[in-house]
Each structure stands twice: as C-alpha cells, then as structure tokens.
Amino acid sequence: MSDSLLRVTGVAKRFGPVVTARDVSFEVAAGEALGLVGPNGAGKTTLLDIVGGTQRADAGTVVLDGRDITRLGAAARADRGIARSYQVPRPFGGLTVYENVLVGASFAGQRHARTGPADDAGAQAWHALEVTGMTEVANTPSGSLRLLDRKRLEVARALATRPRLLLLDEIAGGLTDRELPQVVRLVRSLRDDGVAVVWIEHVLHALLDVVDRLMCLAAGEVIAQGDPHDVIRSPEVIEVYLGSTVDAVTDPAPDPATTPPGETA
Amino acid sequence: MSGPAAVAPSTPPATPPTAPTVTRGGRGSWVGGGAMLLVVVLLAAVVPYAVTLGALSSLVMLFALVILGTTWNLLAGYGGMVSVGQQAYVGVGGYALIQLADAVGAPPWAAVLAAGLVGAAIALPTSYLVFRLAGGYFAIGTWVVAEVFRLVTMQIDGLGGGTGLSLSAFRGTDRVERVAFVYWFALALMVAVVLGTYLLMRSRVGLGLTAIRDDRVAASSLGVAVDRGRRLVYVAGSAGAALAGALIALSTLGVTPGSIYSVNWTAAMIFIVVVGGIGTIEGPIVGAVLYWVLQQALAPLGTWYLVVLGAVAVAVVLLAPRGLWGLAAGRYQLFPTTHHVRPLAASATVAPRTGR
C-alpha cells in the first residue's frame, strides 16, 4: 500500500478511564478527502491530535508517505507536510492576521528548503489570505477578530504551510448560507490540487459535498467507514446519531452547499 | 533544484504567488530612532565630561538595569517564561568576571564578555532541569535554582565564602580612567544588547518566539520548534543577566553572595518590565529609567523608597495594564517589529506542496 499518504494503524488512547481511541486504523490517499463524523466525545479531535502530533497515542503507529512518524513531535510533522486547524481557534493574539499566517509560511517545511527560500514566505502568506478571503483584515491584530474570522484564520494559517495533508476540525459550524459554499469550494479546490484532507464536521451536507470517504467514530472506535452515503445510512451510524441528524441528511433540502464550483455565491 | 518538479513532473508550474508590500515601522520610527541615537551620542560624548564620577557610576547601574530589564523581557515577554531566579545568572556573571579578571588575568572588557558566555554555558544544562516545570512551578523552581547557585558559590573554596570577592584587576589604575572606561563599556554593552534583542525579535526567529508566547500548541502545529525556541530564549536571557552581573561587579569592584545573588535583582527586572511595558523592546528601557530615577530620588527616604516603588507598580498595573509604553504603543514604535502589509492585485491559485 504505497499509494496511501497517511496510514494510521491500531491507534489507542485513553485518559484515565475514558477511552478516546481504541484500535483505530484508517488510510488517506494523496488528494483524497476523508470526512470524520461521530457524536460529541467520540474521539474525533483526539484522533487529529494524534495525527498532528500534539498528542501521543498509547499504542499504534502513524505513517506518512511510508515513513513512520509516530515518535515525531508536531513541529517535525508540520515540516513533513501535515497542517492542522483547531476547533477552538488559537490565534497568536499579539500578532496581526498577516503575521499569524506568516508564521505558518516561515517555519513548516522551510528547514528542509524544499519549497524554495524563505523569502517567498511573504508571498505564501499573502496567498493564503487571498484564498481564505482575509486580505481585508491582514493588518488587524488577531486578538480582536470576530469568531468567524478566527476560524478562517485557522484555515489560512494551515494553508500557508502548503500542506500535503490538511486536518480540519469543524470549520463550517456557524457559517452563514453565503459563507458555507465558499468553504466547501475551498476544501474541494485544495483536494483537487492534490492536498489530502481529513475533515471533522457536524455540518453534514457541507462535508458530503466534498469528501470521497466518510468515517464514523463512536466512543473511540471506528463503527463505519467507506462511501459517504453508505456510511450515513448504516444502522450503526443511525443508532449513534439517534435519528435526528440522519433525518436532516437523508432528506436534503436544496441547499447552497451543492452549488457547483465556479459559480458565484 | 531537486525540487518538487523532479518528483511530480505532472504538476503544472503554479504561478508563483506575488509577495505583498510589507512595511515595518514608519516615519515615527525613524524620528524616534534618530532621537535615541542622539541620546546615545550625548551619553557617550557629552555626559562623561559634564557630571561627577559618582553620577557616572550610577549611570552604569542604569545601563545594567536596562540590560536586566531587556533580557528578562526576552524571557517573560517573548518567551512566556516568568523566571523569578534570574539573580542566579547575575551572580554567576559577577563571580565569573572577578575570577576571569583576577585569577585568569583577562582584560576587564574581555572578562565581562566571557562572563556572559559563562552564564550561557551554565544556563544551557540548567534549562533541561527547569523546563520540566510549567507556569508557577517554573517560577518557584527558578528561584530555588538561584538559591542553590548562591549556596554552592559560598561552599566553593577560593570564592570567598560568605564575604565574597573583591576585584583587584583595576589596582594601580587611575580612578577617573577606571570609571570612564567602565562607563563607556557599559554604555556600548547596553546598546549592543538592546539592538541585538531588537534584531532578534524582528527576525524570523523572533516571529516564531512571539508565536510560542501566544500559543505554544498552535506554534508547534505550524512547524515552530517550541523547545528549541524556548531554550534559545532562556540561554540568551541568562547570558544577558550574567553580562549585567559582570558590569555591576566591575563597577562596584566586588561581590558578596548576599547582594549579587539577591532576589531583589529579579524584583527590579519584574518592576522594570511590567511597569515599562511587557513584550515590547521600548518598555524595559522606559521602566529601567523610571526605576533608576526613583532609586536616585528616594534613596534618602530609606524604607519609604520601597513603599513608593510598590505604589507606582500597583498604580501602573491598574491604570495602564500594558505598562507605560503600552500607552504609546500602537501609535509609536521606536523598534518596529510588526509587519504592515499593503494590499495588491489578486494573484494566482493555490500552490500545494506536492511531491515532497
């Protein structure tokens, strides 16, 4: 299986009596988008932490591009092309929006000098702001941003590292009907450009619009993974969702997220 | 160029994104910089001929305070490490200076610089110890380390035990010549430390350090080597404290363990940084000048001096939480570290890092 970019095998993690990951295994191919769903507390964010390197798994391995990165820290993984957005935004409050993004552009990958000299960090940062529509607030201190802009900044910062694998943690929650299609288009264009994406999202119709595969976690275990529409219809998934969310999905109202890319919102 | 193209030839050459126009600082910074240059020139060329030797010695203390404030700010304001034990390195610097100048026979200027290096050399292994502690435990831990340094110093033969050491390298040197030398050397050192700190914080490394201060986890996720960055700050900040300690010993011609390892040095650093404005280059300079002026003006009042100092600190923290410089920051930056971008025409598409 040399064509999988990310291979997670048998990952386990517990906090005292609480199991947040139990024998979790999955793969993501280059340029593939994997959706991650599950009820609150299912261990979705923990899984991203383990892949991103901000938490160590108790057991199991994480392999990126055939290389075992289980023991690497977050910075070394960022260097190898893994980027991460946080569900609860973590801006560098003392820096402007541009400088926040410049951190991503200046550090990850630069040590290996594969992306050219650090001189183009500025260009890379600016580009990330353009793609996420944040150029207007480039000089704003990030500590004074609205919540939605903070979430957008999370994505911009991650993009500025020019990742090969992008881990997104609930970037669509709270977006308006106008903004949602923009996010969907952004993620889709990233994937089409060859970036692998793992996306945790409660806004299911946005997720289903982009992802190639879907994985459902419950109580730290993978209860279903595969074709997105099969997964959301599987009895196990319906059971953990107690029907409510599934109703919304199986009976989709005409929603703006399905607007084809390229059309103006 | 063994770049991405070699690995993924199918990737079309993405239009290189255009860099935005970035300005750092404006006319205010040039004016302010010019004013500071003028002050330095006055301090170097006019003041020594206009004031008494006693005043010159007390200005040396001001320069040492600026170095202490600047380097403690590096730790707390940029590294997020609130150390209450930097007197450890003030002491190491003081003792190292006297040993290097008297026992080794190094010229005083070289002994001061070498004392800074000794501070760095001791800070590096110490960092592995204190970095195991976080937050309040780090603060207390550093204080404990400083006490250990003091006690160990007193136990080492040849370091004078509880009475300390006096500097004899200047024996036979004319007093005027000695005070003038120490004054100019201290001035040069202060300028070098402030400029060095500024250039560090303006650089890519400084950007990473600020990111670490604001959010360590997010910084690591963006590729900033957090442990290495913090260690760099701790070692550099401790070397600065050692330089200041060496200057103080050079100026006062001796050390005693009780005074050179006194926690009051760190209390002064905290006052200087918090009152001046934490996380700015300018703040510690403002704070050091205020601290020094209060010290000079209130010295005859005895204990009341400490009461006034405390009242000033409380008032500033309540009325200007970002310090005195915080009142001006935003409008003025004498040492501009921020980036101001000017928008430009929209550019190319996403350029993913394929084929790494």
Side-chain angles (χ1 to χ4, degrees), chain B residues 84 86-88 90-91 143 147 150 256-267:
Chain B
V84 190
Q86 284 310 93
Q87 69 272 20
V90 177
W143 193 349
E147 281 303 295
R150 181 176 66 84
T256 63
S259 66
I260 200 83
Y261 281 114
S262 167
V263 73
N264 287 337
W265 291 117
T266 296

Side-chain angles (χ1 to χ4, degrees), chain B residues 15-58:
Chain B
T15 321
T18 0
T21 319
V22 177
T23 51
R24 312 186 72 177
R27 221 178 62 197
S29 303
W30 287 105
V31 173
M36 280 187 297
L37 187 65
L38 190 66
V39 170
V40 170
V41 168
L42 284 177
L43 283 172
V46 179
V47 171
Y49 304 100
V51 302
T52 62
L53 287 182
L56 280 189
S57 290
S58 114

Side-chain angles (χ1 to χ4, degrees), chain A residues 113-117, chain B residues 1-7:
Chain A
R114 288 195 177 176
T115 53
Chain B
M1 275 286 284
S2 60
V7 190

Side-chain angles (χ1 to χ4, degrees), chain B residues 148-194:
Chain B
V148 170
F149 278 24
R150 181 176 66 84
L151 293 169
V152 168
T153 303
M154 289 167 69
Q155 297 307 312
I156 296 176
D157 289 337
L159 290 186
T163 49
L165 296 171
S166 51
L167 180 69
S168 50
F170 281 127
R171 216 160 273 164
T173 311
D174 173 53
R175 179 161 177 256
V176 176
E177 203 178 303
R178 169 176 64 83
V179 173
F181 160 76
V182 173
Y183 173 84
W184 274 314
F185 184 63
L187 177 64
L189 210 54
M190 174 190 75
V191 171
V193 166
V194 172

Side-chain angles (χ1 to χ4, degrees), chain B residues 215-236:
Chain B
D215 194 315
R216 222 187 277 182
V217 174
S220 71
S221 283
L222 293 173
V224 183
V226 171
D227 286 347
R228 209 168 42 173
R230 297 179 73 224
R231 191 154 282 126
L232 170 78
V233 165
Y234 184 77
V235 170

Side-chain angles (χ1 to χ4, degrees), chain A residues 142-183:
Chain A
S142 65
S144 62
L145 287 180
R146 303 175 300 137
L147 176 65
L148 285 183
D149 279 336
R150 287 178 186 221
K151 287 195 151 197
R152 206 172 283 181
L153 179 59
E154 282 291 319
V155 179
R157 242 171 21 179
L159 282 184
T161 67
R162 289 205 270 171
R164 288 191 295 162
L165 172 64
L166 182 59
L167 311 172
L168 299 172
D169 198 347
E170 295 198 26
I171 56 169
L175 293 184
T176 65
D177 287 350
R178 265 171 55 87
E179 292 168 319
L180 201 52
Q182 295 172 8
V183 166

